[in-house]
Amino acid sequence: MIFLFKRTTICTTVLTRQILIILGTALPLVGHATSQESAQQIEQLRLEVNALKALVQQYSQAGVKPDTSGQAAPVPGTDTGQPASKSLKLTTRSGAEFQLYGFIRGDSSYQFKGGNGIFNRIHKVDLNGQEVHKDRFYNTVTTTRFGLDFKTPLEGQQIGGKLEVDFRGGANNDTLRLRHVYLTYNNWLFGQTTSSFLATDLQPDMLDFGSPLGIGTFRTPLVRYNNSFTAGPEYFISLEKGRDENRLPALTGKLKYDFENGSVSTRAMVQQLRIADANNKKEVSWGAAIGASYQASPKLKLMADYSHVKGDDRFLLYTNSAYLLDNTKTQVYLNEFDSFTTGLSYQLTPKIKATLGYGAMFANDNNGFAQYDLVSDQNQNKSLQQGWLYMMYNPVTPVTFGLEYIYGERKTFNNQKGIDNRLEAMVRYNF
């Protein structure tokens, strides 16, 4: 299999025409060549013709049809509004099409106050009087990402898939990590990808690789079916792996409707929570969510998303523990919370875009979970709030520079408080 790493696609017919044009230009010169300068020009044209002939022969022998479809699909997980770059594609003789994508990225962060690490840890920032992670500088390139999409028509069926990795694996976030790995067969998907309970397309742009407070990025093994109703809305139904101790998969669903200037999404999740430490006691965990985006003008985009969840700490980011157990390990207290994110993006110039965002999590403070947390001093969070301002600059299509300021507050059930205060910078090259 031959991968073509040329930005400009050259096909055999185009090359042949170029050869004819050059030959047509060369012949008159041969007839009127009367000087050493003309002879040199003729010799140069002969070299170019020979080079073009060799290139035509190379494509013919390789059995590969160069792709001419143009622009690549947007890189998953990158900022919306990022100018598209030409893709690196290969189409084999059998019709299978492969597309390589990704980016090389470097991140830096100066943390005035916050958590232990370069990216978002709003739920674990230092509480007042315990501030040890402050005035620190962080730097990393582990967010660099590589991906490969493929698709092929086979006996009238559509088969495709994706393999995407970054370097945020392991205990130290410095080894290869599988993000998306799946196969698709018509309307079915088998493998690991983002949960159907989430809507990452509705989150405001954020430079921080940890993603905003109030949304989720949970990627998990699943089986998913999606299709569209006659009226237009698209639906997704999935069986997904939840917590490791669960015996049954989580059932999730999404209904998404795209209209001219935006989209609306509603989602639901239900699972049986099996608690091994409480003699395999079983509880019902569930969640519901709704969100929307709206392109108010060619330059202004608005988005918001809301979720309510009980008894889970995996699908959404920066939440409390799914449950607490009393000392006897017989009583289970489920956490329940509301999560919210909103933001707006404005295209200041063709090369500069700004995003202002806000995210929050508010836990139920009148249930058994909150009361037991006060008794046992678990330091679970009653509320989290976070705002950010992000400026993105694209001097040329594949290159992005970003600068972001983040400020957040954490408040526990016993009213202890912590501050998240950071300045971050990024440079990224998309390919």
Side-chain angles (χ1 to χ4, degrees):
M1 190 175 293
I2 302 172
F3 285 84
L4 304 179
F5 295 98
K6 288 182 177 291
R7 289 283 181 177
T8 305
T9 305
I10 305 175
C11 64
T12 304
T13 55
V14 173
L15 292 174
T16 304
R17 291 174 183 172
Q18 290 177 336
I19 292 173
L20 293 175
I21 291 172
I22 293 174
L23 288 173
T25 306
L27 290 174
L29 289 174
V30 172
H32 296 83
T34 58
S35 65
Q36 183 178 1
E37 180 180 356
S38 297
Q40 291 175 349
Q41 292 177 350
I42 294 170
E43 183 61 24
Q44 180 63 33
L45 288 170
R46 287 173 178 169
L47 293 174
E48 292 178 0
V49 170
N50 290 334
L52 288 169
K53 287 180 177 179
L55 194 56
V56 171
Q57 185 177 8
Q58 176 184 346
Y59 277 112
S60 299
Q61 292 176 351
V64 177
K65 181 178 68 175
D67 184 89
T68 58
S69 59
Q71 301 298 320
V75 177
T78 59
D79 305 307
T80 56
Q82 167 70 17
S85 58
K86 292 184 179 179
S87 59
L88 305 176
K89 290 185 178 180
L90 164 72
T91 302
T92 65
R93 181 178 296 175
S94 64
E97 181 181 286
F98 293 83
Q99 176 177 315
L100 176 67
Y101 67 87
F103 52 75
I104 298 172
R105 171 171 164 162
D107 292 271
S108 297
S109 172
Y110 185 80
Q111 187 169 273
F112 305 101
K113 292 182 179 181
N116 182 21
I118 182 172
F119 297 124
N120 208 349
R121 283 177 172 82
I122 181 63
H123 62 314
K124 293 183 178 180
V125 298
D126 296 334
L127 298 171
N128 290 343
Q130 306 172 12
E131 296 166 344
V132 295
H133 305 114
K134 62 180 181 179
D135 295 325
R136 292 192 176 190
F137 177 76
Y138 296 94
N139 194 63
T140 185
V141 294
T142 58
T143 57
T144 294
R145 184 181 306 175
F146 297 94
L148 183 68
D149 288 327
F150 70 90
K151 61 181 180 180
T152 180
L154 184 62
E155 297 181 357
Q157 311 299 312
Q158 292 296 323
I159 299 174
K162 178 187 289 288
L163 171 63
E164 182 179 290
V165 300
D166 63 14
F167 299 89
R168 299 289 294 171
N172 298 318
N173 288 326
D174 58 0
T175 59
L176 196 67
R177 175 180 67 163
L178 292 174
R179 291 171 53 86
H180 302 272
V181 187
Y182 60 77
L183 292 172
T184 59
Y185 178 76
N186 293 331
N187 299 100
W188 291 91
L189 182 147
F190 308 88
Q192 175 178 299
T193 191
T194 306
S195 168
S196 298
F197 181 59
L198 307 175
T200 55
D201 56 313
L202 300 180
Q203 73 179 58
D205 293 340
M206 191 180 200
L207 181 153
D208 192 296
F209 192 78
S211 297
L213 169 65
I215 63 100
T217 59
F218 184 45
R219 294 178 293 274
T220 185
L222 55 81
V223 176
R224 184 177 76 194
Y225 178 82
N226 76 284
N227 210 329
S228 297
F229 292 109
T230 305
E234 187 176 12
Y235 63 90
F236 303 78
I237 300 175
S238 304
L239 291 177
E240 307 183 3
K241 181 182 183 298
R243 299 173 61 87
D244 291 339
E245 56 193 15
N246 290 1
R247 288 183 175 177
L248 299 176
L251 174 63
T252 65
K254 179 193 298 187
L255 181 64
K256 182 181 179 183
Y257 178 68
D258 294 321
F259 54 94
E260 183 178 359
N261 295 319
S263 66
V264 177
S265 169
T266 60
R267 290 101 61 199
M269 175 273 295
V270 63
Q271 62 182 331
Q272 183 188 72
L273 194 64
R274 176 176 175 266
I275 304 169
D277 292 339
N279 196 27
N280 292 331
K281 187 172 183 178
K282 299 176 181 64
E283 299 283 350
V284 175
S285 170
W286 62 274
I290 185 170
S293 67
Y294 180 67
Q295 192 76 43
S297 73
K299 294 184 177 181
L300 178 63
K301 184 177 182 180
L302 310 173
M303 59 205 72
D305 196 54
Y306 165 78
S307 303
H308 181 88
V309 176
K310 183 175 182 179
D312 184 75
D313 57 1
R314 293 171 68 85
F315 285 91
L316 296 181
L317 293 166
Y318 317 122
T319 63
N320 294 322
S321 300
Y323 59 85
L324 294 176
L325 290 175
D326 67 0
N327 292 332
T328 65
K329 295 186 178 180
T330 58
Q331 183 63 49
V332 179
Y333 304 103
L334 297 183
N335 178 41
E336 189 169 6
F337 65 93
D338 297 290
S339 189
F340 180 76
T341 185
T342 185
L344 61 87
S345 293
Y346 191 80
Q347 195 75 43
L348 298 172
T349 73
K351 296 182 180 293
I352 300 176
K353 184 170 72 170
T355 297
L356 181 64
Y358 169 79
M361 185 284 296
F362 299 103
N364 186 335
D365 60 352
N366 293 316
N367 60 3
F369 183 94
Q371 298 306 312
Y372 188 74
D373 176 87
L374 289 172
V375 173
S376 58
D377 195 25
Q378 298 283 334
N379 275 338
Q380 301 283 329
N381 297 306
K382 177 181 178 180
S383 65
L384 300 171
Q385 298 185 71
Q386 189 176 64
W388 65 95
L389 176 62
Y390 173 28
M391 301 291 291
M392 181 175 66
Y393 173 53
N394 293 113
V396 292
T397 298
V399 178
T400 301
F401 295 95
L403 186 65
E404 181 173 73
Y405 175 69
I406 301 172
Y407 182 87
E409 294 183 353
R410 169 193 180 194
K411 185 177 181 181
T412 65
F413 285 112
N414 58 7
N415 291 322
Q416 290 185 296
K417 296 181 180 180
I419 299 297
D420 180 28
N421 191 5
R422 291 175 288 133
L423 184 65
E424 299 185 344
M426 175 207 72
V427 58
R428 184 182 68 217
Y429 177 81
N430 283 17
F431 59 85

